[in-house]
Amino acid sequence: MRPSRRAPDELRAVSLERGVVKYAEGSCMVKFGDTHVLVTATLEERLPPWLKGQGRGWVTAEYGMLPRATLERTRREASAGKQGGRTVEIQRLIGRSLRAAVDLEALGERQITVDCDVIQADGGTRTASITGAWVALADCIGWMKARNMIKTSVLRDNVAAVSCGIYNGTPVLDLDYAEDSEADTDANFVMTGDGRIIEVQGTAEKTPFSQDEFLALLALAKKGVARLVDLQKMAVA
Amino acid sequence: MRPSRRAPDELRAVSLERGVVKYAEGSCMVKFGDTHVLVTATLEERLPPWLKGQGRGWVTAEYGMLPRATLERTRREASAGKQGGRTVEIQRLIGRSLRAAVDLEALGERQITVDCDVIQADGGTRTASITGAWVALADCIGWMKARNMIKTSVLRDNVAAVSCGIYNGTPVLDLDYAEDSEADTDANFVMTGDGRIIEVQGTAEKTPFSQDEFLALLALAKKGVARLVDLQKMAVA
Amino acid sequence: MRPSRRAPDELRAVSLERGVVKYAEGSCMVKFGDTHVLVTATLEERLPPWLKGQGRGWVTAEYGMLPRATLERTRREASAGKQGGRTVEIQRLIGRSLRAAVDLEALGERQITVDCDVIQADGGTRTASITGAWVALADCIGWMKARNMIKTSVLRDNVAAVSCGIYNGTPVLDLDYAEDSEADTDANFVMTGDGRIIEVQGTAEKTPFSQDEFLALLALAKKGVARLVDLQKMAVA
Amino acid sequence: MRPSRRAPDELRAVSLERGVVKYAEGSCMVKFGDTHVLVTATLEERLPPWLKGQGRGWVTAEYGMLPRATLERTRREASAGKQGGRTVEIQRLIGRSLRAAVDLEALGERQITVDCDVIQADGGTRTASITGAWVALADCIGWMKARNMIKTSVLRDNVAAVSCGIYNGTPVLDLDYAEDSEADTDANFVMTGDGRIIEVQGTAEKTPFSQDEFLALLALAKKGVARLVDLQKMAVA
Amino acid sequence: MRPSRRAPDELRAVSLERGVVKYAEGSCMVKFGDTHVLVTATLEERLPPWLKGQGRGWVTAEYGMLPRATLERTRREASAGKQGGRTVEIQRLIGRSLRAAVDLEALGERQITVDCDVIQADGGTRTASITGAWVALADCIGWMKARNMIKTSVLRDNVAAVSCGIYNGTPVLDLDYAEDSEADTDANFVMTGDGRIIEVQGTAEKTPFSQDEFLALLALAKKGVARLVDLQKMAVA
Amino acid sequence: MRPSRRAPDELRAVSLERGVVKYAEGSCMVKFGDTHVLVTATLEERLPPWLKGQGRGWVTAEYGMLPRATLERTRREASAGKQGGRTVEIQRLIGRSLRAAVDLEALGERQITVDCDVIQADGGTRTASITGAWVALADCIGWMKARNMIKTSVLRDNVAAVSCGIYNGTPVLDLDYAEDSEADTDANFVMTGDGRIIEVQGTAEKTPFSQDEFLALLALAKKGVARLVDLQKMAVA
């Protein structure tokens, strides 16, 4: 029995609310249960120096947590003077995941920066961030289309992400903090709308896992991502 | 005529919503019109080293802005590797303002950290932060009372803040961004529930102001703060 | 009775010595009693990037303390790797105060940087810095005039600053460290030669103050600044 | 045809040389073709603060590249003032991978720090690092055994890692730089001696991959890791 | 002919003024011509962690330049966020030089920090700093003796320093900036009152020098240091 | 008797191995006994901003130590977030030493960066670095000649370095760590192939030394450098 009494293949209650801040070209408040992330997408007519003049754009991401998003207060990274290793790892993952679904040539020489700020954390902040980031990105691209800034399609497919893990010996979908801190194995899957894999990150801090266990997690993830993609489609419809 | 069509002595629509995040001992989402700040109060059984063993507690504040709280995206301070001058100035002001209303001996050897994170900025983020921070602080102290951690009263009075300025030659209350960027003079007033002054910061970037102009701003501020204190009392009732 | 036996409206011995270093376009050693600040003004034919091409110049300030300017040695900020919050707050104040008296269009696309380095601190370092900075700035502008770099008048008025506070229940002018560390209330006033206000910063760390108390401080400040402006005029004559 | 003319399931020439520096408790120069990494293992009788007093030890890793390990000179991170995101990501991966095979209770309250410094980089530095790090770690533990510092077995199993990718449509093992920069998909597998998975990181910067493609990579990885584990066993025999 | 018309073995006008700031246990304003350095010595009852409990004290130094000590304004190191290489090199030299003349056991478990802040720079700031630092240090030790904090003699000998160089083919003593920027060879000598060598730093950025040239510089330095030691003795008498 | 049983004027076993890494334009693994330094020379068609357009090139150096090059593990500077004072001092010395032998005009508007990374440290890392750096630099210049990038001779002479010290009252050549940590006096000499001095750094942490002692060290250094220059000539022949 999971602490939340969910079935092994059951997501938490997910919501994707668009247009939650006034200035951003795209935004989304994404909730996976008690994990709440505010995502904004910012369009800028500039590029990182190493990309200039190549006829392509760029999508990048930054990630942060409000200090009291967590059970105990976490030190503010701006005050500590640097972003921690976990933050850097997550924001690189978000950026790579989104770029896999974007036609950077069609975007033109512009940069979209996706900011994912965790308001409240209860496990799965990186997967919620990616899932919500796609919605904010889609809105930003819609904003550009409405202004005739782009012609062809820029977004190739949906991108959504979910975590899976082995909890008390059972493969389960979408771990919350209570499960995550107890799980033997934890894997994050980023997938497209058509079920292909963008990124897999499986980690066994305690017990290494077998290929069969891994495949069970992958099957759960496919199911979860399919449901998240449906929710994304409803959100942007 | 003000851009927002408000009367010169009219506040923006103000709301103070408590209990907005799950883990913090006190929290408040404060809105002054389109300026939205999420405030949390965190209680910790530790003190800055220089205060240990003196039988007194401490109240401190940190301030941040989400990158896209602003019209143009602002660089994330955690990524820049340090807090800017404006951030440092504001968080010091918030901390001083709150401490003026707290009986630090009655608090005991504990620290309350108030985090003010601006979700959306439309002028007056520091005054909204202080006004909301008092509510989060009051909730945190209520949380301690409910657990018999403190006996006597810790909060001596309400603390609220508002900005005033001379816009197109007229003294006006609670400047929004459109006014603030045009105003000749800008002053922030932090006051107690009984109308006394905790902090005054008046600045004339363009034209220095006369004593009479300053007194007109002070009169507006008294009126505004009195209204904000009423709203605080309703919020915590 | 004040520790220094001064009358409540009496400044410390003030001196403003010009031309104290060899290379700077303007310089001033300012002393308010035992508070000694060395101020230099540097003219550079460059601008911060955000100001380029607008036909206007800029005046900015930096502030520092020698490590043993204080009773106990203060850690060197260059060694700590960053400027503290107090330093940042003060140098922003100095810069704003000076800009309020400068015609930036008349200055042309140039930057003047005012460096205020505290050699010895006995309270009121920020007000002494501003008062001395105006003299160094005036000398720098005189240097430019002598070279026909500017035509019209660049300095609109004098700028001087003084602190006031309520010490043992009495409003007093120009607090030294012994008074400052005991005062209930402390306010800094930056004013022009014609008695208008550029900046007011009043702070009540202990007891909030009434409007009447604040007006008493303002009256003292006017008197003090008028005297400081007389001394500035004698210095640059 | 691979640029190196290797068969799809063929590793580069791998060597694991022990005892390459004088002071470290364990060390290994690992070479995967032209990728050369010097690994040292340092035993210290201290722990990170958050782990003290729990009767367990810790294994952690740091990673660096000599500036001219690469085709173009890479800026020295010590001079840049911080470790980049890629470095942080890799050293966290190495640490997690090793810990999965170590009985931290049996290690006792001590820390082993594994330093992986890339002397020359030709793709696969992180997988070479992990494979060599296990040898250095095994030597360090042997050093402890020889001094009767530990009684029971501390190392539960071998740990080795290899990258796989889809190059020109074909799944291939152990990518060198020429392949890595062209591959559609790149995955790193960390596995135990008994064939279980410790960490999987699959990334599709260009084209998302199917489950079948992923399983083909996994099959190659199993084969490659089995061979690497044999080489580790010969090295420490 | 030297630009300053001095004889080859002639020092600039040197002055050593004691007691120039109010709080420090020792202080000295040292002038070598237009090079002016304010030195303070601070006594603290604490030690660097690695020195605790060994029955010995420590003498250390920090060095800084006011931004406009130089012909062009130099960026403030506190604002740049770190001390430059030249600063680090100089402050290490000053600390080593002073320690060579101090009986650290006799000092007891205390630290003296010598701060050398360059008010105006015209070449030879490091040698002027060392020469003045000895005076400030001597005063600090005198302050301790007057309070019976030390019994035996702590200062073993005088320490003074001077630069020499080959200017237009002629070995000259005590280079000013005009000479220093043109000299082929530049050497700094730190010596004791009895003529022994504490530190020699000879550098040939342009043309390497012969042993004979070096001995000529050494002979000049001996003469210069002897004169500086006389001036120190007069200053502290 | 020296701990290593060497004669007072005997170098450790020295080797200079060229071409040790694949990508660098020049490289050398230099060994002075158990002190091993990997040096690479990188040619870049860019210059530091302050040198542009002057028709001259630049040679600069960076220095680092692998964390476990030392008996106890030294903290990684990239992780500490800055280069320590010793590192900065050494890399400035290496750069100055090499530049003294290079015709920067003949080099053209290019920069050569020499990276010295200590693999194992047993005293004398800076002198080994300089001696090996000259070999890597010579190879880099040879690489340029082979590509007709330079016409005239760029390297004016050899540059090599050695330390000397007074150990148990006897002047000895090329101190190893066991001697260095006990020596009264320690001096580093950088000299050219024709026996002239580029840099002398003599330091007496314990007892100041006499002119005669210094001359004895200089005589030893001349002998040692002559031998090192012979070895360099054999290496590059």
Side-chain angles (χ1 to χ4, degrees):
Chain A
M1 176 69 86
R2 306 176 69 174
S4 60
R5 300 175 171 270
R6 283 186 280 151
D9 63 350
E10 188 182 346
L11 292 172
R12 288 176 281 181
V14 171
S15 72
L16 295 159
E17 189 187 353
R18 292 161 61 196
V20 291
V21 292
K22 182 185 179 181
Y23 305 113
E25 286 75 32
S27 67
C28 178
M29 173 67 85
V30 52
K31 299 185 180 173
F32 278 27
D34 278 342
T35 290
H36 302 174
V37 185
L38 176 59
V39 188
T40 59
T42 295
L43 175 70
E44 289 168 306
E45 297 285 332
R46 59 187 193 77
L47 280 179
W50 52 269
L51 200 63
K52 281 180 187 160
Q54 300 182 27
R56 292 188 296 135
W58 193 242
V59 176
T60 188
E62 289 195 356
Y63 172 92
M65 275 223 222
L66 298 197
R68 199 56 198 282
T70 44
L71 189 56
E72 310 273 312
R73 186 175 184 272
T74 307
R75 189 171 176 197
R76 188 178 289 269
E77 289 183 324
S79 156
K82 66 173 191 169
Q83 296 180 303
R86 185 183 163 276
T87 294
V88 169
E89 206 173 285
I90 293 175
Q91 65 193 13
R92 284 163 59 89
L93 169 64
I94 300 170
R96 282 197 310 270
S97 298
L98 296 175
R99 284 193 297 274
V102 171
D103 181 339
L104 296 171
E105 279 76 18
L107 179 58
E109 295 212 343
R110 300 170 178 116
Q111 174 166 289
I112 298 176
T113 303
V114 172
D115 287 288
C116 301
D117 284 276
V118 179
I119 303 296
Q120 196 171 275
D122 186 36
T125 64
R126 79 187 72 186
T127 51
S129 293
I130 292 168
T131 305
W134 186 88
V135 174
L137 181 63
D139 262 12
C140 178
I141 288 168
W143 187 94
M144 293 170 77
K145 272 190 196 144
R147 282 156 188 76
N148 289 319
M149 295 170 73
I150 44 180
K151 286 168 196 168
T152 58
S153 182
V154 169
L155 264 181
R156 291 185 181 124
D157 201 344
N158 284 55
V159 176
V162 76
S163 72
C164 302
I166 297 175
Y167 177 76
N168 276 348
T170 306
V172 296
L173 179 67
D174 187 22
L175 288 81
D176 56 29
Y177 180 75
E179 291 170 327
D180 193 25
S181 53
E182 292 297 315
D184 287 331
T185 292
D186 177 21
N188 293 293
F189 296 86
V190 187
M191 302 175 90
T192 55
D194 65 1
R196 284 180 301 153
I197 302 168
I198 291 175
E199 183 109 11
V200 180
Q201 289 190 341
T203 299
E205 272 266 355
K206 294 179 196 158
T207 317
F209 48 92
S210 67
Q211 179 169 334
D212 285 351
E213 286 169 324
F214 184 73
L215 292 179
L217 299 183
L218 177 53
L220 280 174
K222 276 189 149 173
K223 204 163 167 181
V225 166
R227 175 76 185 124
L228 291 168
V229 167
D230 285 346
L231 291 168
Q232 287 178 334
K233 287 179 178 166
M234 281 188 276
V236 301
Chain B
M1 178 68 85
R2 306 176 71 174
S4 60
R5 300 179 172 269
R6 282 185 282 148
D9 64 349
E10 189 182 346
L11 292 173
R12 288 175 282 181
V14 172
S15 71
L16 295 159
E17 188 187 353
R18 292 160 61 196
V20 291
V21 291
K22 183 184 176 181
Y23 304 113
E25 286 75 33
S27 67
C28 178
M29 173 67 85
V30 51
K31 299 185 180 174
F32 278 28
D34 278 341
T35 291
H36 302 175
V37 186
L38 175 58
V39 188
T40 58
T42 295
L43 175 70
E44 289 169 306
E45 297 286 333
R46 60 185 192 79
L47 279 178
W50 52 268
L51 199 64
K52 279 179 189 161
Q54 300 181 25
R56 292 188 296 136
W58 192 242
V59 175
T60 187
E62 290 196 356
Y63 171 93
M65 276 222 220
L66 297 197
R68 200 56 198 281
T70 44
L71 189 55
E72 312 271 315
R73 186 175 183 272
T74 306
R75 188 171 178 197
R76 189 179 289 267
E77 290 184 325
S79 156
K82 64 171 194 171
Q83 296 181 303
R86 183 183 165 277
T87 294
V88 170
E89 205 173 287
I90 292 175
Q91 66 193 12
R92 285 164 57 91
L93 168 65
I94 300 170
R96 282 199 308 271
S97 297
L98 295 175
R99 283 193 297 274
V102 170
D103 181 338
L104 295 172
E105 279 76 16
L107 178 58
E109 295 212 343
R110 300 171 178 116
Q111 175 166 291
I112 298 175
T113 302
V114 172
D115 286 288
C116 301
D117 284 275
V118 179
I119 303 296
Q120 194 170 275
D122 186 36
T125 64
R126 79 187 71 188
T127 51
S129 292
I130 292 168
T131 305
W134 185 88
V135 174
L137 181 63
D139 261 11
C140 179
I141 288 168
W143 187 94
M144 295 171 74
K145 271 188 195 144
R147 282 154 187 77
N148 289 317
M149 295 170 74
I150 43 180
K151 287 169 195 166
T152 58
S153 181
V154 168
L155 265 181
R156 291 186 180 125
D157 201 346
N158 283 55
V159 176
V162 76
S163 73
C164 303
I166 297 175
Y167 176 76
N168 276 349
T170 306
V172 296
L173 179 67
D174 188 22
L175 288 81
D176 55 30
Y177 180 74
E179 291 169 328
D180 193 25
S181 54
E182 292 296 316
D184 288 331
T185 291
D186 177 22
N188 293 293
F189 296 86
V190 185
M191 302 175 91
T192 54
D194 65 2
R196 283 179 303 152
I197 302 167
I198 291 176
E199 184 108 10
V200 180
Q201 289 190 341
T203 298
E205 272 266 354
K206 294 182 195 158
T207 318
F209 48 93
S210 68
Q211 180 168 333
D212 284 352
E213 286 170 322
F214 184 73
L215 292 179
L217 298 184
L218 177 53
L220 279 175
K222 276 189 149 173
K223 205 163 164 179
V225 166
R227 175 75 185 124
L228 291 169
V229 167
D230 285 347
L231 291 169
Q232 287 178 333
K233 286 178 178 166
M234 280 187 277
V236 300
Chain C
M1 178 66 87
R2 306 176 70 174
S4 59
R5 300 178 173 267
R6 282 185 283 149
D9 63 350
E10 189 182 345
L11 292 172
R12 288 176 281 182
V14 171
S15 72
L16 295 160
E17 189 188 354
R18 293 161 61 195
V20 290
V21 292
K22 182 184 177 181
Y23 304 113
E25 285 75 34
S27 66
C28 177
M29 174 66 85
V30 52
K31 299 184 180 174
F32 279 27
D34 278 342
T35 290
H36 302 175
V37 185
L38 175 58
V39 188
T40 58
T42 295
L43 176 70
E44 289 168 307
E45 298 286 332
R46 59 185 192 80
L47 280 179
W50 52 268
L51 200 63
K52 281 179 188 161
Q54 301 181 25
R56 293 189 295 136
W58 192 241
V59 176
T60 188
E62 289 196 356
Y63 171 93
M65 276 222 222
L66 297 197
R68 199 57 197 280
T70 45
L71 189 55
E72 310 272 313
R73 186 175 183 273
T74 307
R75 189 172 176 196
R76 189 178 288 268
E77 289 184 324
S79 156
K82 65 173 196 170
Q83 297 180 303
R86 183 182 165 277
T87 293
V88 169
E89 207 173 286
I90 292 175
Q91 66 193 14
R92 285 163 58 90
L93 169 63
I94 301 170
R96 281 198 309 271
S97 298
L98 296 175
R99 283 193 298 274
V102 171
D103 182 340
L104 296 172
E105 278 77 17
L107 178 59
E109 295 212 343
R110 300 170 178 116
Q111 175 166 291
I112 298 175
T113 302
V114 172
D115 285 288
C116 301
D117 283 276
V118 180
I119 303 296
Q120 194 170 275
D122 187 37
T125 64
R126 78 187 72 189
T127 51
S129 292
I130 292 168
T131 304
W134 186 88
V135 174
L137 181 63
D139 261 12
C140 179
I141 287 168
W143 187 95
M144 294 170 75
K145 272 190 196 143
R147 282 154 188 79
N148 288 319
M149 296 170 73
I150 43 179
K151 287 169 195 167
T152 58
S153 179
V154 168
L155 264 182
R156 291 185 180 125
D157 201 346
N158 285 55
V159 176
V162 75
S163 73
C164 303
I166 297 175
Y167 177 76
N168 276 348
T170 306
V172 296
L173 180 67
D174 188 21
L175 288 81
D176 56 29
Y177 180 74
E179 292 169 327
D180 193 25
S181 54
E182 293 296 316
D184 287 333
T185 291
D186 177 21
N188 293 293
F189 296 85
V190 186
M191 303 175 90
T192 55
D194 65 1
R196 283 178 304 152
I197 302 167
I198 291 176
E199 184 108 10
V200 180
Q201 289 190 342
T203 298
E205 272 266 356
K206 292 180 196 157
T207 318
F209 48 92
S210 68
Q211 179 169 332
D212 285 351
E213 287 170 323
F214 185 73
L215 292 179
L217 299 184
L218 177 53
L220 280 174
K222 276 188 148 174
K223 205 163 165 180
V225 166
R227 174 76 185 123
L228 292 169
V229 167
D230 285 346
L231 292 169
Q232 287 178 334
K233 287 177 178 167
M234 281 188 275
V236 301
Chain D
M1 177 68 85
R2 306 177 70 173
S4 59
R5 300 175 172 270
R6 282 184 281 150
D9 63 350
E10 189 182 346
L11 290 173
R12 289 176 281 183
V14 172
S15 72
L16 296 159
E17 188 187 354
R18 291 161 62 196
V20 291
V21 293
K22 181 185 180 181
Y23 305 114
E25 286 75 32
S27 66
C28 178
M29 174 67 85
V30 52
K31 300 185 181 175
F32 278 29
D34 279 341
T35 291
H36 303 176
V37 185
L38 175 59
V39 188
T40 58
T42 296
L43 174 70
E44 289 169 307
E45 297 286 333
R46 60 186 191 78
L47 281 178
W50 53 269
L51 199 64
K52 281 179 190 161
Q54 299 181 28
R56 293 189 295 136
W58 192 241
V59 176
T60 188
E62 289 195 356
Y63 172 93
M65 275 222 223
L66 298 197
R68 199 57 198 281
T70 45
L71 188 56
E72 311 271 314
R73 185 175 183 272
T74 306
R75 187 170 178 197
R76 189 179 288 269
E77 290 184 324
S79 156
K82 64 174 193 170
Q83 297 180 304
R86 184 182 164 278
T87 294
V88 169
E89 207 172 285
I90 292 175
Q91 66 193 12
R92 286 164 57 90
L93 168 64
I94 301 170
R96 282 198 310 270
S97 297
L98 296 175
R99 284 193 297 274
V102 172
D103 181 339
L104 297 172
E105 278 76 18
L107 178 59
E109 296 213 342
R110 302 172 175 112
Q111 176 167 290
I112 298 175
T113 302
V114 172
D115 285 288
C116 301
D117 284 276
V118 179
I119 303 296
Q120 194 171 276
D122 186 36
T125 64
R126 81 188 70 188
T127 51
S129 294
I130 292 167
T131 305
W134 185 87
V135 175
L137 181 62
D139 263 11
C140 178
I141 288 168
W143 187 94
M144 293 170 76
K145 272 189 197 143
R147 282 155 188 77
N148 288 318
M149 295 170 75
I150 44 181
K151 287 168 198 170
T152 59
S153 180
V154 169
L155 265 180
R156 292 187 181 122
D157 201 345
N158 284 56
V159 176
V162 76
S163 72
C164 301
I166 297 175
Y167 176 76
N168 276 350
T170 305
V172 296
L173 179 67
D174 188 22
L175 289 80
D176 57 28
Y177 180 74
E179 292 169 327
D180 193 25
S181 53
E182 293 297 315
D184 286 333
T185 291
D186 178 21
N188 294 293
F189 296 85
V190 186
M191 301 175 92
T192 55
D194 65 0
R196 285 179 302 151
I197 303 167
I198 291 175
E199 184 109 11
V200 180
Q201 290 190 341
T203 299
E205 273 266 354
K206 293 180 195 156
T207 317
F209 49 93
S210 68
Q211 179 168 332
D212 284 351
E213 287 170 322
F214 185 73
L215 292 179
L217 299 182
L218 178 52
L220 281 173
K222 276 187 150 175
K223 205 164 165 181
V225 166
R227 174 78 185 121
L228 292 169
V229 167
D230 285 346
L231 291 167
Q232 287 178 334
K233 286 178 180 167
M234 280 187 277
V236 301
Chain E
M1 176 69 84
R2 307 177 70 173
S4 60
R5 301 177 171 267
R6 282 184 283 150
D9 64 349
E10 189 182 346
L11 292 173
R12 289 175 281 181
V14 171
S15 71
L16 295 159
E17 187 187 355
R18 292 161 62 197
V20 291
V21 292
K22 181 184 178 182
Y23 304 114
E25 286 74 33
S27 66
C28 177
M29 174 66 85
V30 51
K31 300 184 180 174
F32 277 29
D34 279 341
T35 291
H36 303 174
V37 185
L38 175 59
V39 188
T40 58
T42 296
L43 175 70
E44 288 168 308
E45 297 286 333
R46 59 186 192 76
L47 280 178
W50 52 268
L51 200 63
K52 280 179 190 162
Q54 300 181 27
R56 293 189 296 136
W58 193 242
V59 176
T60 189
E62 289 197 355
Y63 171 93
M65 275 222 219
L66 297 197
R68 198 57 197 280
T70 45
L71 189 57
E72 310 272 312
R73 185 175 184 272
T74 306
R75 189 172 177 196
R76 188 178 289 269
E77 289 183 325
S79 156
K82 64 173 193 171
Q83 296 181 303
R86 183 182 165 278
T87 294
V88 169
E89 206 173 285
I90 293 175
Q91 66 193 13
R92 284 163 58 90
L93 168 64
I94 301 171
R96 281 197 310 270
S97 298
L98 296 175
R99 283 193 298 274
V102 171
D103 182 340
L104 296 172
E105 280 75 20
L107 178 58
E109 297 213 341
R110 301 170 178 116
Q111 175 167 289
I112 298 176
T113 302
V114 172
D115 286 287
C116 301
D117 284 276
V118 180
I119 304 296
Q120 196 171 273
D122 187 36
T125 64
R126 79 188 71 188
T127 51
S129 293
I130 291 167
T131 305
W134 185 88
V135 175
L137 181 63
D139 261 12
C140 178
I141 287 168
W143 187 94
M144 292 170 77
K145 272 189 196 144
R147 282 156 188 76
N148 289 317
M149 295 170 74
I150 43 181
K151 286 169 197 168
T152 59
S153 181
V154 169
L155 265 180
R156 292 185 181 125
D157 201 346
N158 283 55
V159 176
V162 76
S163 72
C164 301
I166 298 175
Y167 177 76
N168 276 347
T170 306
V172 296
L173 179 67
D174 187 23
L175 289 80
D176 57 30
Y177 180 75
E179 292 169 326
D180 193 25
S181 53
E182 293 297 315
D184 287 332
T185 291
D186 178 21
N188 294 292
F189 296 85
V190 186
M191 302 175 90
T192 55
D194 64 2
R196 284 179 303 151
I197 302 168
I198 291 176
E199 184 109 11
V200 180
Q201 290 190 339
T203 299
E205 272 266 355
K206 293 179 195 158
T207 317
F209 48 92
S210 67
Q211 179 169 333
D212 285 351
E213 287 170 323
F214 185 72
L215 292 179
L217 299 184
L218 178 53
L220 280 175
K222 276 189 149 174
K223 203 165 168 181
V225 165
R227 174 78 184 122
L228 292 169
V229 167
D230 285 347
L231 291 169
Q232 286 178 335
K233 286 179 179 167
M234 279 188 276
V236 301
Chain F
M1 178 68 85
R2 304 177 72 174
S4 60
R5 299 175 172 272
R6 284 185 281 150
D9 63 350
E10 188 182 347
L11 292 173
R12 289 176 281 182
V14 172
S15 72
L16 295 159
E17 188 187 353
R18 291 161 63 197
V20 291
V21 292
K22 181 184 178 182
Y23 306 113
E25 285 75 32
S27 65
C28 179
M29 174 68 85
V30 52
K31 299 185 181 174
F32 278 28
D34 278 341
T35 291
H36 302 175
V37 186
L38 175 58
V39 188
T40 58
T42 295
L43 174 70
E44 289 168 308
E45 297 285 333
R46 59 186 191 78
L47 281 177
W50 52 267
L51 199 64
K52 282 181 187 159
Q54 300 181 28
R56 292 188 296 135
W58 193 241
V59 176
T60 187
E62 289 195 356
Y63 172 92
M65 275 222 221
L66 297 198
R68 198 57 197 280
T70 44
L71 190 56
E72 310 272 314
R73 185 176 184 272
T74 307
R75 189 173 177 196
R76 189 179 287 269
E77 290 183 326
S79 156
K82 64 173 196 171
Q83 296 180 303
R86 184 183 164 278
T87 294
V88 169
E89 207 172 286
I90 293 175
Q91 65 193 13
R92 285 164 58 91
L93 168 64
I94 301 169
R96 280 198 311 269
S97 298
L98 296 175
R99 283 193 297 274
V102 171
D103 181 339
L104 296 172
E105 278 76 18
L107 178 59
E109 295 211 344
R110 302 173 177 110
Q111 175 166 290
I112 298 175
T113 302
V114 172
D115 285 287
C116 302
D117 283 276
V118 180
I119 303 296
Q120 196 170 274
D122 186 35
T125 64
R126 78 188 72 190
T127 51
S129 293
I130 291 167
T131 304
W134 185 88
V135 175
L137 182 62
D139 262 12
C140 179
I141 287 166
W143 187 94
M144 293 170 75
K145 272 189 196 143
R147 282 156 187 76
N148 288 318
M149 296 170 73
I150 43 180
K151 287 168 198 167
T152 58
S153 180
V154 169
L155 264 181
R156 292 186 180 125
D157 201 346
N158 284 55
V159 176
V162 76
S163 71
C164 302
I166 297 175
Y167 176 76
N168 275 348
T170 305
V172 296
L173 179 67
D174 188 23
L175 289 80
D176 56 29
Y177 181 75
E179 292 169 327
D180 193 25
S181 54
E182 292 297 316
D184 286 335
T185 292
D186 178 20
N188 294 293
F189 296 85
V190 187
M191 302 175 90
T192 56
D194 65 1
R196 285 179 301 151
I197 302 167
I198 290 176
E199 184 109 12
V200 179
Q201 290 189 342
T203 298
E205 272 266 355
K206 292 182 196 156
T207 317
F209 49 93
S210 68
Q211 180 169 332
D212 285 350
E213 287 170 321
F214 185 72
L215 292 178
L217 299 184
L218 178 53
L220 280 174
K222 276 189 149 174
K223 204 165 168 180
V225 165
R227 174 78 184 122
L228 292 169
V229 167
D230 285 345
L231 292 168
Q232 287 178 334
K233 287 177 178 166
M234 280 188 275
V236 302

